[in-house]
Amino acid sequence: NYFTERLQEKESQCMQLAMFQSGSDDICSSRGNRSIASQSDKPEWLTKVEYLTFGKMRAFPYTQLRNLCVALTERTLPFSHTAVHVLLRQTAYHLGDIGVSNANGCCYKWK
């Protein structure tokens, strides 16, 4: 398993479940539905769309980059909130290093 940073703020601790990423070998098939099924647990600092975006960001390892791009493009996260900073830092770390290979353009070194 990868290191998972703990959300420190009391108001954010209910979102800790969304932070964990077990890797592609040990994924529960219902992981992507957790935020949908638990909408009643949404903290006040998130709208419904933000809650669903936060919950699915790290749900599956190979969709994290796409989820990150969508969240940045559509601005579906409160980027000023500390918990979102932690989530994005975890996501970027798990994506790995981005480099430029010769003629092929970008290459990703997935962790």
Side-chain angles (χ1 to χ4, degrees):
N1 289 340
Y2 299 101
F3 168 77
T4 302
E5 191 169 342
R6 306 277 313 159
L7 295 173
Q8 299 299 320
E9 297 173 343
K10 186 160 181 65
E11 68 176 1
S12 303
Q13 289 176 354
C14 62
M15 299 304 294
Q16 186 65 46
L17 215 66
M19 299 297 295
F20 180 71
Q21 175 50 257
S22 61
S24 59
D25 297 335
D26 192 28
I27 297 176
C28 175
S29 62
S30 65
R31 183 167 169 78
N33 294 329
R34 285 185 185 157
S35 57
I36 295 170
S38 64
Q39 291 180 55
S40 61
D41 298 334
K42 178 187 77 61
E44 290 185 16
W45 57 273
L46 288 171
T47 67
K48 178 181 175 180
V49 171
E50 292 168 344
Y51 179 74
L52 295 174
T53 301
F54 196 108
K56 76 174 184 179
M57 180 65 67
R58 293 175 49 76
F60 299 100
Y62 298 121
T63 62
Q64 289 183 105
L65 180 58
R66 180 185 188 285
N67 292 338
L68 177 60
C69 291
V70 169
L72 292 171
T73 302
E74 297 181 4
R75 303 200 51 79
T76 53
L77 284 171
F79 294 109
S80 61
H81 200 280
T82 306
V84 175
H85 296 184
V86 175
L87 175 72
L88 297 180
R89 199 168 40 243
Q90 284 285 131
T91 302
Y93 172 79
H94 191 241
L95 290 176
D97 298 328
I98 299 175
V100 178
S101 63
N102 299 346
N104 298 334
C106 289
C107 66
Y108 299 96
K109 300 174 184 172
W110 296 94
K111 292 186 179 180

